[in-house]
Amino acid sequence: MVSYLATILIIMVIYILLAFSLDLQYGFTGLINFGLVGFFGVGAYTSALVTMNLGLPAWLSFPAAMLVAGLLSWPLGRIALRLRDDYLAIVTLGFSEIIRLVIVKEDWLTHGVQGISGIPRLWPNWSSSASELFLLCALITAAALTTLVMRRITQSPYGRTIQAIRDDEVAVIALGKDPSIFKTQVLVIGGAIAGLAGAFYAHYITYIVPDQFVPITTFYIWMAIIMGGVARLLGSISGAVLLVFLLEGTRFLRGYIPGVTDAGMASFQLGVIGVLLILFMRWRPQGLFGKRSAT
Amino acid sequence: MTFADFLNLALNGLVEGLLIALPALAVTLVHGLARFPNAATGDVVAAGGFGGYFTFNVTGSLLLAGLGGALVGALVSLAAYYLAFKAIMRRSVITLLLTSIGVGFFIRSVLGMSFGHELKMFSLPLTRAINFHGVLINPTDVQLAGVIVAVLAAVFVMLYVAPVGRMMRALADDPDLGRVSGIRKERVMVVMWSVTGAVCGIAGTVLGMRTTLAPEMGWTMLLPAFAAAVIGGLGNPVGAVAGAILLGVVQELSTPYVGFVYKIALGYVVMLLVLLVRPQGLFNRPQGVR
């Protein structure tokens, strides 16, 4: 039971980190990123490979994961910043698929579709449950620090500028600021946060394959920030918590309905997410705690 | 690689491109009138595929299967318009886009729960490819390509000859001007959603006959369709078809050099390169941001 709770909490906090990343990009800056999972995956793979191939202690691989995922956001920014919303969505989605296909193909480094197994836990000498709890504590600390950083970013003059870019880009240009610099920075910071989440995920799950990094995860995170409310840190947190309850709840439901297969339940879960997404966008686009007026 | 190999790959790419052309055309038509990239397009393709499969199993006729697929696609597409999209038509792109993702999830979920996740196949007789001096031509492929070309021709006749097509293009060009000229937008919308749905349904049936059917097939089809529509320029029907064929041929011809995995990635890379050089797509004129 403790182990189950720890698992739920770890997944929840990883989702919170991912929701922060997306909220900084979409909620605060208005950048539509449909490729979030790509940076999550790059973080996971970087951290796993740095730990296993270079033999560095696990905790040293976290900054590496943030760095690589952040740097990879930069070329995306160069291409994407000239595009309208609809193009941006398609380009970022394609970008995350390119990342996944590179991971599949470059098997000399990533072991391709077989994935990487036996990624060391954060504290390999401890028993697995103690190590799990340690990882949870580290994860919560990281999330708390990220929350502070996010608060600093969004409540500073910098944060007002990126929100101004979201609301009226032309006005920001008229004030003599260059939105493309801010947008690129936001993409890089968001990418780094997603990379951090990926590093925790890799060291928790200890086994990663490319199939864990398919676009559905991106849309789960979109679902989370839409439910919780965009452009509010509380919204990201509550949205991620709700998302985990939703995903776990439908899994629990399975115990009460006889004769349902795993695949059938996964389909049902997908349908629930789909209908909720439609209903939220129609009736409450600002989410449960959002303050931004419906657009 | 001999010239015959080259031709084989190019012909195969042409067929693959034609298969993508139908959903790409649907994406671009929806974008022209409703102004958002419809992420449920692929799942309407899948729904149509299952509709065609069901009709085929009941009637045993390939022609009726195509019609059944078209009908199911059109109905699903219209239902999505009335139940999900209509009420939010005037909201932002991202609202519509996320709604379309929700619609796609829902369609996939219903397909998964009703038909299961095993791959389904049309039980068609196997055909032997005809060999012209090393160039292999599969009669089934020729027939399916013929069906696709016929459907494309019908849509373009509707767009450029029939009055409703002229109204569609007028609304896509300038919605306000279209409305003051007395075009009933609602009617045109209904025609557009039914036509794009039917096109997707036929695409699903054809795809099912050529390969296999699965509830997830729509999602794998969506990104190539998006890429083709973006390469041609969103909202440009000729561009979408040309983009799809270009993608199909380039991907197949590159396979001997880059392998099967990077063949898929190449499609997105071509899309990124086109956007870097011509952000409006290959076939669109530059335009201001709306």
Side-chain angles (χ1 to χ4, degrees):
Chain A
M1 190 62 202
V2 174
S3 158
Y4 177 71
L5 274 181
T7 303
I8 298 280
L9 281 175
I10 288 170
I11 294 297
M12 205 178 258
V13 183
I14 286 175
Y15 279 165
I16 289 176
L17 281 177
L18 287 174
F20 277 158
S21 162
L22 189 61
D23 201 27
L24 181 67
Q25 294 175 343
Y26 172 66
F28 286 99
T29 322
L31 291 168
I32 298 177
N33 184 357
F34 273 12
L36 185 69
V37 74
F39 303 98
F40 179 56
V42 164
Y45 268 89
T46 307
S47 144
L49 290 172
V50 164
T51 316
M52 296 179 72
N53 290 7
L54 303 182
L56 295 174
W59 58 269
L60 260 180
S61 70
F62 286 69
M66 293 177 71
L67 190 70
V68 175
L71 286 181
L72 208 63
S73 309
W74 190 79
L76 179 66
R78 297 323 301 160
I79 300 167
L81 294 179
R82 304 156 63 193
L83 304 173
R84 289 194 328 237
D85 284 355
D86 35 9
Y87 281 87
L88 188 57
I90 296 174
V91 165
T92 47
L93 191 54
F95 196 77
S96 80
E97 280 295 279
I98 293 178
I99 292 177
R100 193 175 62 84
L101 290 168
V102 170
I103 294 175
V104 169
K105 176 75 179 180
E106 300 301 325
D107 47 8
W108 56 273
L109 183 67
T110 62
H111 302 286
V113 286
Q114 292 172 345
I116 303 176
S117 54
I119 301 163
R121 293 172 180 280
L122 269 191
W123 218 260
N125 298 334
W126 293 5
S127 73
S128 76
S129 59
S131 181
E132 216 163 69
L133 285 178
F134 178 71
L135 183 123
L136 180 59
C137 295
L139 183 55
I140 290 175
T141 315
L145 281 175
T146 313
T147 316
L148 287 179
V149 172
M150 288 279 293
R151 274 179 68 98
R152 287 292 297 177
I153 291 176
T154 54
Q155 294 182 350
S156 63
Y158 183 89
R160 284 193 291 279
T161 310
I162 58 174
Q163 291 178 63
I165 291 172
R166 173 196 69 201
D167 294 336
D168 192 340
E169 193 168 338
V170 178
V172 175
I173 297 172
L175 287 173
K177 297 202 186 291
D178 183 0
S180 67
I181 296 175
F182 287 90
K183 285 181 173 179
T184 311
Q185 287 169 348
V186 162
L187 278 175
V188 170
I189 299 170
I193 298 176
L196 178 67
F200 273 109
Y201 180 75
H203 287 283
Y204 164 63
I205 214 101
T206 71
Y207 172 59
I208 49 175
V209 285
D211 270 359
Q212 287 160 338
F213 306 104
V214 287
I216 185 106
T217 310
T218 304
F219 298 119
Y220 279 166
I221 305 302
W222 270 96
M223 182 73 213
I225 69 165
I226 295 296
M227 283 194 300
V230 292
R232 288 203 67 178
L233 298 182
L234 179 65
S236 300
I237 298 172
S238 55
V241 173
L242 263 177
L243 177 72
V244 172
F245 273 114
L246 208 65
L247 296 178
E248 286 302 310
T250 42
R251 190 177 302 170
F252 264 117
L253 206 61
R254 198 192 148 201
Y256 296 98
I257 313 170
V260 182
T261 59
D262 273 335
M265 208 59 231
S267 286
F268 178 71
Q269 201 174 26
L270 195 67
V272 171
I273 298 273
V275 169
L276 276 176
L277 202 49
I278 297 171
L279 293 179
F280 263 98
M281 293 320 291
R282 168 87 171 84
W283 298 107
R284 207 167 165 81
Q286 77 274 35
L288 295 177
F289 301 103
K291 58 182 169 183
R292 191 174 154 200
S293 61
T295 47
Chain B
M1 198 165 70
T2 64
F3 186 63
D5 292 338
F6 178 81
L7 270 185
N8 278 329
L9 285 173
L11 283 176
N12 201 30
L14 185 68
V15 178
E16 302 252 313
L18 282 171
L19 277 172
I20 296 295
L22 293 177
L25 183 62
V27 165
T28 225
L29 287 179
V30 170
H31 192 277
L33 249 67
R35 308 228 180 271
F36 72 100
N38 183 4
T41 307
D43 298 291
V44 177
V45 170
F50 277 96
Y53 176 76
F54 187 72
T55 323
F56 179 71
N57 282 353
V58 171
T59 62
S61 150
L62 284 178
L63 183 70
L64 285 180
L67 290 177
L71 184 68
V72 171
L75 288 178
V76 170
S77 176
L78 270 181
Y81 170 57
Y82 277 114
L83 296 177
F85 297 130
K86 195 179 172 193
I88 53 168
M89 231 15 149
R90 296 185 158 273
R91 302 238 205 112
S92 65
V93 172
I94 185 68
T95 306
L96 283 154
L97 186 50
L98 284 174
T99 302
S100 74
I101 284 168
V103 169
F105 280 3
F106 184 71
I107 297 175
R108 213 177 312 159
S109 153
V110 171
L111 289 179
M113 285 193 288
S114 353
F115 297 99
H117 290 261
E118 307 86 54
L119 297 177
K120 305 243 180 334
M121 284 172 93
F122 282 78
S123 43
L124 300 174
L126 283 176
T127 49
R128 182 189 283 273
I130 307 163
N131 192 334
F132 290 106
H133 308 289
V135 180
L136 300 170
I137 294 175
N138 190 329
T140 316
D141 272 2
V142 175
Q143 285 164 0
L144 294 182
V147 170
I148 296 175
V149 171
V151 172
L152 288 174
V155 174
F156 278 101
V157 166
M158 181 206 77
L159 273 177
Y160 291 95
V161 179
V164 68
R166 197 180 314 128
M167 291 179 199
M168 239 179 240
R169 286 183 292 130
L171 283 178
D173 232 27
D174 190 331
D176 296 327
L177 192 59
R179 263 204 309 279
V180 284
S181 322
I183 298 175
R184 298 197 184 173
K185 190 168 184 190
E186 185 53 33
R187 281 189 190 179
V188 179
M189 277 292 210
V190 170
V191 174
M192 186 274 288
W193 284 102
S194 342
V195 168
T196 54
V199 165
C200 287
I202 294 172
T205 313
V206 170
L207 195 68
M209 288 177 185
R210 192 162 188 263
T211 54
T212 51
L213 283 168
E216 297 79 20
M217 68 193 255
W219 178 257
T220 45
M221 179 131 228
L222 178 70
L223 260 176
F226 270 174
V230 166
I231 287 172
L234 283 176
N236 184 329
V238 180
V241 174
I245 293 173
L246 181 79
L247 261 191
V249 173
V250 167
Q251 284 186 324
E252 280 303 307
L253 287 182
S254 72
T255 314
Y257 306 103
V258 300
F260 288 103
V261 176
Y262 279 165
K263 167 188 133 180
I264 307 170
L266 187 73
Y268 312 134
V269 173
V270 171
M271 172 178 82
L272 292 182
L273 290 178
V274 167
L275 285 177
L276 268 181
V277 185
R278 274 180 75 87
Q280 72 275 25
L282 289 180
F283 295 85
N284 269 1
R285 272 169 294 151
Q287 57 174 8
V289 173
R290 279 181 220 273

